[in-house]
Amino acid sequence: MKIESGLVTSAPLDPAAQRRAWLLAAVVTTFVMLWLFVWYKETVFSAVAIWMRSETFAHGFLIFPISAYLIWTRRRSVLALRPEPSYWPLLLLGVTGFVWLLAGLADVKVVQQYSLVLMIPLLVWTLLGGKIVWELAFPLLFLLFAVPFGEIFLPPLMAFTADFTVAALQLTGIPVYREGLFFTIPSGQWSVVEGCSGLRYLIASLTLGCLYAYLTYRTLWKRLLFVLLSIVVPIFANGLRAYMIVMIAHLSDMKLALGVDHYLYGWVFFGLVILLLFWMGSFWREDDKEIGTLERSVPPREFDKPVPLRGMVIAAVFAMAISALWPGYAAHLEDKPISTAGLDMPVPAPAGGWQAQSTPLSGWRPEYAHPDASIMQTYRKGDQTVSVYLGYYRTQRQGAELVTSTNVMVHQKHPVWSKVGEGYRTIVLAGRQERVVQTKLRSPAQRLLVWNWNRIQEQDTVNPYLAKLLLAKTRLFGGRGEGAAIIIAAPYDEQPEEAASVLQAFLNDMLPGMEASLKDVSHQ
């Protein structure tokens, strides 16, 4: 064997030399992976923390062992291929790292976690080549299920569950009064909460469904069909589960299907649904005689030329440098602390006949986590009353974020207030049309119509993705990334449109004063 200018002559390698070459390739790949996890350890820990505290995403602990097992089953196929580094995936690695950086600046953990997981197959591609990464495509992409993602689907899933349950009850002949996610039948009151959404079942079903499709089928359309079923079946099954729980409680005079047995019944039902799904999938399964075993039989062969180890080391150096670039720049930005202490939000000056009141409109207050300055003030004009909340964040950081799912008008299990409706509404702000989020709240004694939106870099928006992009853009170039929540609320009796006209009139008069308060605290 002769090496010239990093290229290799065509003399074949003996099996022992092949094993040594693959051993070195495995060592290099393992070292680069460890390097990656060291630099991105905070992202790893953020995912593990969610696995530990959330039953919905506890399956994350199993994903990496399953992927490792699947890779092990492909070992003969992989070892028959010649590792050969590829340099152009380094460009994709750089783009993925930049996305990780932007997500970190905007504090979007799930995008950071996805970016990190995608770096793994990109590193394998860079170090070992396209043929090998294609051979291991499913085990590597299966790692994406380790990312705790899915909470964005909670609202539509909860709405579907409520729609399905109410429709099924009505078809059964049971009278139902519904308001948002709350409904009442003659035997009692019910509400669809996050635990009733079926998200936990959907994620578990999709994960198992993809794994089952990979292990059972080789034809693409059969795999896609089963994955589609693993999405559709648990959604409808969860609606049926919710309906059956309500019916069992109704027919037992509210003695069964409540408390602990409510959850036990749900998981038993889900297990039956998964068994039904696998039984359905067995009808078009492909026999081992047709598709071969899990580990395809690949005859051992000699490499026509040795592994370019020098090229692999060079690719590893570039990959390590690109991987470390983004956490390094993030640390550089974090090294510029921004003071958030001592900020004071001034009360918006009364205008247009509105007068500040010492008595609050209600006991309700939006639940926003740790703003750097905030104020809640009630104003009255004649018989009209409006409450204003301004929450200012000088910079976005863990536990003190403007745009996050934990910042809500009211939590689901609030002892007094409940959310009975939410949507978007177009209003007039300073002569221009803008969208706001409109929420209807109720308590035993009062109903409120609430409008809210965010102001980031002098731009009003209710789009969380745009808000995160604006924050990331500002912080990327060393800015503070400040933002504010603007929330107004008015009471109503029967028709929320009465309160809507009051809120619009209030904004016409008071918006300049509210903007002045935000500008004042920004300059402190």
Side-chain angles (χ1 to χ4, degrees), residues 60 77 194 199 204 216 278 309 343 420 423 465 499:
S77 301
E194 292 182 0
L199 177 64
T216 308
F278 289 166
L309 296 177
L343 300 179
V420 295
Y465 307 108

Side-chain angles (χ1 to χ4, degrees), residues 112-178:
Q112 282 194 303
Q113 292 158 4
Y114 272 124
S115 298
L116 175 58
V117 172
L118 287 174
M119 290 181 193
I120 297 174
L122 288 175
L123 287 176
V124 174
W125 191 353
T126 299
L127 299 175
L128 304 181
K131 291 182 179 179
I132 291 174
V133 81
W134 179 255
E135 186 69 29
L136 299 177
F138 181 83
L140 292 173
L141 293 179
F142 187 73
L143 295 174
L144 292 172
F145 284 110
V147 177
F149 172 75
E151 291 184 349
I152 189 175
F153 300 117
L154 277 173
L157 287 173
M158 291 167 63
F160 176 83
T161 302
D163 293 340
F164 188 99
T165 305
V166 170
L169 289 170
Q170 290 173 336
L171 286 174
T172 311
I174 298 177
V176 183
Y177 172 74
R178 178 182 177 183

Side-chain angles (χ1 to χ4, degrees), residues 55-384:
E55 293 183 3
T56 302
F57 303 110
H59 67 279
F61 286 106
L62 301 175
I63 299 301
F64 276 83
I66 292 174
S67 177
Y69 170 75
L70 294 176
I71 290 174
W72 176 253
T73 63
R74 309 299 303 169
R75 62 190 182 280
R76 291 187 61 196
S77 301
V78 171
L79 292 176
L81 298 173
R82 176 176 176 267
E84 187 168 6
S86 179
Y87 294 101
W88 77 266
L90 292 172
L91 177 62
L92 296 177
L93 184 65
V95 172
T96 307
F98 182 65
V99 171
W100 176 91
L101 175 64
L102 290 179
L105 296 177
D107 205 18
V108 186
K109 298 297 184 185
V110 66
V111 176
Q112 282 194 303
Q113 292 158 4
Y114 272 124
S115 298
L116 175 58
V117 172
L118 287 174
M119 290 181 193
I120 297 174
L122 288 175
L123 287 176
V124 174
W125 191 353
T126 299
L127 299 175
L128 304 181
K131 291 182 179 179
I132 291 174
V133 81
W134 179 255
E135 186 69 29
L136 299 177
F138 181 83
L140 292 173
L141 293 179
F142 187 73
L143 295 174
L144 292 172
F145 284 110
V147 177
F149 172 75
E151 291 184 349
I152 189 175
F153 300 117
L154 277 173
L157 287 173
M158 291 167 63
F160 176 83
T161 302
D163 293 340
F164 188 99
T165 305
V166 170
L169 289 170
Q170 290 173 336
L171 286 174
T172 311
I174 298 177
V176 183
Y177 172 74
R178 178 182 177 183
E179 190 173 18
L181 299 177
F182 296 81
F183 58 92
T184 303
I185 60 177
S187 58
Q189 295 182 338
W190 296 84
S191 65
V192 178
V193 297
E194 292 182 0
C196 304
S197 66
L199 177 64
R200 188 178 308 174
Y201 306 138
L202 176 60
I203 292 176
S205 175
L206 180 58
T207 304
L208 290 173
C210 288
L211 185 60
Y212 182 88
Y214 171 72
L215 297 175
T216 308
Y217 313 116
R218 290 297 176 267
T219 307
L220 179 60
W221 73 265
K222 292 183 178 181
R223 285 177 167 175
L224 295 178
L225 177 60
F226 190 83
V227 171
L228 179 62
L229 282 175
S230 70
I231 296 173
V232 174
V233 169
I235 292 177
F236 282 90
N238 183 67
L240 180 62
R241 177 190 68 88
Y243 163 71
M244 293 176 67
I245 287 176
V246 174
M247 284 299 297
I248 291 173
H250 174 70
L251 296 175
S252 65
D253 198 22
M254 303 300 284
K255 295 178 180 178
L256 300 178
L258 300 173
V260 175
D261 58 331
H262 178 109
Y263 298 101
L264 179 63
Y265 169 78
W267 277 112
V268 170
F269 182 77
F270 174 71
L272 294 176
V273 169
I274 291 297
L275 289 176
L276 174 64
L277 184 63
F278 289 166
W279 176 75
M280 293 168 59
S282 67
F283 284 100
W284 63 85
R285 69 172 294 131
E286 293 172 297
D287 236 359
D288 283 349
K289 294 180 180 179
E290 301 174 25
I291 64 174
T293 59
L294 176 62
E295 180 186 353
R296 292 186 308 183
S297 178
V298 177
R301 61 181 176 83
E302 293 182 330
F303 295 168
D304 54 356
K305 51 185 177 179
V307 176
L309 296 177
R310 189 176 74 175
M312 186 180 298
V313 171
I314 293 173
V317 171
F318 276 109
M320 292 165 65
I322 293 173
S323 301
L325 173 63
W326 312 110
Y329 187 67
H332 167 71
L333 294 176
E334 292 294 335
D335 199 35
K336 300 177 180 179
I338 298 173
S339 175
T340 58
L343 300 179
D344 182 48
M345 176 79 72
V347 177
W354 293 92
Q355 299 297 323
Q357 302 294 301
S358 58
T359 304
L361 170 63
S362 67
W364 168 79
R365 183 183 180 92
E367 301 183 43
Y368 274 62
H370 307 297
D372 298 314
S374 66
I375 191 170
M376 192 159 186
Q377 178 64 52
T378 299
Y379 295 85
R380 178 179 291 276
K381 181 180 180 180
D383 60 350
Q384 299 175 344

